[in-house]
Amino acid sequence: MILTFIKGFGREIKILWLDKRMLFMFLIAPLALSIVVCAAFSGHVVNNIPLAVVDQNSSAQTRALIAAFDEADRFNVTYVVTEQDEAVGLMEEGKVLGVVIISPDYTRSLQLGQQAEVLIGVNSANNIIGNSAVVSSMQVVKTISAQIAVKSFVAKGSTVEDATAMVMPISTVLRPWFNPQFSYLTYLGLGLTGLIFHQLFLMTVATAFAEEKKEGILSGKMKAKESIIHFINKYIFYGVTGYGNILVNYYAIITIFDFPMRGNREDVAILCGCYILCLLGVGALLGTLCKNTIHCIQWLMAMTYPLFILSGFSWPLTEMPEVLVKAAQYLPPTHFLVPVRNIVLTGVGFETESIVYSRDMLLYLAVGAFGLSLLAFLWKVYSARKKEKPKLVEKEVVQA
């Protein structure tokens, strides 16, 4: 029996080694693509958003406002024009992503102690840029407003401290936890790494089983017992190699891009093991049921983005329809992508109820997927042997 399993492992290694495409997709592509994707977010935040400013009176006050926008990290004032239509045209052409329109009576209103108007328009077709521009522009205007008000009170005899207290009676201290830079790399990097591995590992396992329909264990040319042994061999082989692969991927990404590892590595390793077991069953089931490798890849391509969205990683489950929330509970990424991010960034572990729930759900899903894949495998083996039997009888008759 042990010799049979050893031969089975050798068989899987040979199949994988001879298929260079599958070998690349399984061992090299997950880490390579994760590095590329994370590198794309290495800027962490959106800076230097190009702005056009409409300034119709060009006073010291308007120049101070323009300078405040230009000196802010988030903005880069690339155009100062005098007509609103010109600024809107620059946005439509894609030369700027935001417009600041200073009202013609801006300077006069400030001199009279009245409220001056500034219109800020942003290109919200890209939500990331739009949100960043809105928040940052409000901060710039708030700062300038506070400075003008403080100077006014100081001119009337107040101290700077008293003037500041009158202008800003509530002092706010902002302390962002776990991602103080509001970095998109920190927010998305770990999840995208998991998603890339998810798809490539599923594709490898599914195509490995689908290829067995040609001349392998699903062709009907092997004995049922031998086919089951090879089925178990495949499970063990891809389970062991896949587990090692996902650990290497996460270790490399966390190290290369300097993610703060606040939780226990053992907790991440345990969750990765549960996830691999789950993906093994799904991949084996998909490969067994699909007609060929092309069908497997088509299904995986169709599932990629919906699985990521429904996992709750980029868009919270609390904002989804109830029916989608319930469906998401039966998808492996839901119980892996967010929990891994929480372990790494916030330092929680299996002492937390949500992490324990995710681990248990992955194990339940793994058992269910294994059972379904085994039943599908036995059914396909039986069907294949039934089709192959008349050919064997005919062959024996011809030989006789």
Side-chain angles (χ1 to χ4, degrees):
M1 180 67 72
I2 296 176
L3 183 61
T4 304
F5 277 106
I6 293 174
K7 288 181 178 179
F9 261 66
R11 176 179 180 271
E12 297 304 325
I13 294 172
K14 182 179 178 181
I15 291 173
L16 189 60
W17 180 257
L18 291 176
D19 191 340
K20 302 302 181 185
R21 177 191 60 81
M22 186 185 294
L23 185 67
F24 173 80
M25 289 295 179
F26 182 47
L27 295 180
I28 301 174
L31 180 57
L33 293 177
S34 296
I35 290 174
V36 170
V37 169
C38 288
F41 292 98
S42 58
H44 297 285
V45 295
V46 178
N47 282 327
N48 300 313
I49 299 171
L51 291 180
V53 178
V54 180
D55 183 8
Q56 296 180 349
N57 54 21
S58 187
S59 65
Q61 289 86 347
T62 60
R63 287 193 293 273
L65 180 62
I66 295 171
F69 273 98
D70 196 38
E71 291 168 4
D73 292 336
R74 291 287 191 273
F75 299 113
N76 182 19
V77 178
T78 53
Y79 295 91
V80 178
V81 298
T82 57
E83 298 295 332
Q84 180 175 333
D85 291 342
E86 186 178 355
V88 173
L90 289 170
M91 182 182 286
E92 291 174 347
E93 293 173 11
K95 294 181 179 180
V96 297
L97 296 173
V99 174
V100 178
I101 302 175
I102 305 173
S103 63
D105 57 350
Y106 176 85
T107 303
R108 183 173 177 275
S109 297
L110 291 179
Q111 292 172 344
L112 295 174
Q114 299 173 351
Q115 192 174 55
E117 291 186 357
V118 175
L119 187 148
I120 299 172
V122 297
N123 184 349
S124 294
N126 185 321
N127 228 23
I128 293 177
I129 293 175
N131 288 338
S132 181
V134 168
V135 172
S136 300
S137 61
M138 292 299 103
Q139 290 175 343
V140 171
V141 172
K142 181 180 177 181
T143 301
I144 290 292
S145 298
Q147 290 174 352
I148 293 172
V150 168
K151 288 179 181 178
S152 175
F153 283 115
V154 169
K156 295 177 182 178
S158 299
T159 65
V160 173
E161 291 77 12
D162 290 340
T164 303
M166 286 185 283
V167 172
M168 301 177 65
I170 300 176
S171 176
T172 304
V173 179
L174 178 64
R175 184 185 176 186
W177 288 355
F178 311 126
N179 185 9
Q181 290 181 292
F182 295 99
S183 166
Y184 284 100
L185 172 61
T186 305
Y187 168 51
L188 292 172
L190 296 172
L192 292 174
T193 297
L195 181 69
I196 289 169
F197 180 85
H198 174 278
Q199 291 304 108
L200 293 178
F201 181 70
L202 270 184
M203 184 180 71
T204 302
V205 175
T207 53
F209 275 89
E211 286 291 324
E212 295 288 356
K213 295 176 182 178
K214 295 178 180 178
E215 297 293 333
I217 58 178
L218 288 172
S219 64
K221 297 178 181 179
M222 288 187 182
K223 295 180 180 179
K225 183 179 179 181
E226 190 177 358
S227 295
I228 294 173
I229 291 175
H230 282 303
F231 173 84
I232 297 173
N233 269 332
K234 274 190 175 299
Y235 241 88
I236 297 175
F237 174 78
Y238 283 105
V240 172
T241 53
Y243 181 60
N245 198 0
I246 194 172
L247 291 181
V248 169
N249 282 357
Y250 270 112
Y251 177 79
I253 293 300
I254 290 171
T255 303
I256 293 171
F257 295 98
D258 198 25
F259 280 89
M261 186 66 193
R262 296 190 177 93
N264 293 324
R265 296 181 185 274
E266 293 79 8
D267 293 344
V268 175
I270 291 171
L271 213 58
C272 284
C274 298
Y275 192 51
I276 287 294
L277 290 175
C278 208
L279 296 185
L280 273 173
V282 175
L285 179 64
L286 187 63
T288 302
L289 294 179
C290 288
K291 292 182 179 180
N292 49 50
T293 56
I294 295 177
H295 285 187
C296 290
I297 295 172
Q298 288 173 338
W299 274 104
L300 288 170
M301 289 177 63
M303 292 190 300
T304 301
Y305 202 63
L307 284 174
F308 184 63
I309 296 300
L310 291 177
S311 70
F313 189 89
S314 59
W315 184 256
L317 289 171
T318 53
E319 301 305 315
M320 296 184 192
E322 186 65 26
V323 62
L324 293 182
V325 174
K326 291 181 178 179
Q329 300 307 309
Y330 299 96
L331 301 176
T334 304
H335 306 289
F336 180 73
L337 299 182
V338 172
V340 165
R341 181 175 63 185
N342 290 342
I343 292 173
V344 173
L345 299 184
T346 68
V348 299
F350 287 111
E351 73 282 355
T352 307
E353 185 178 343
S354 61
I355 305 297
V356 173
Y357 173 75
S358 295
R359 178 199 61 192
D360 293 346
M361 281 300 299
L362 285 174
L363 290 175
Y364 293 147
L365 292 173
V367 171
F370 173 78
L372 290 174
S373 64
L374 181 59
L375 289 174
F377 178 81
L378 293 175
W379 172 54
K380 286 291 183 178
V381 168
Y382 173 77
S383 300
R385 284 181 59 80
K386 191 174 180 181
K387 291 179 181 179
E388 195 68 23
K389 194 171 183 180
K391 297 180 183 178
L392 295 174
V393 173
E394 184 179 346
K395 185 176 180 180
E396 291 174 0
V397 170
V398 171
Q399 289 177 348

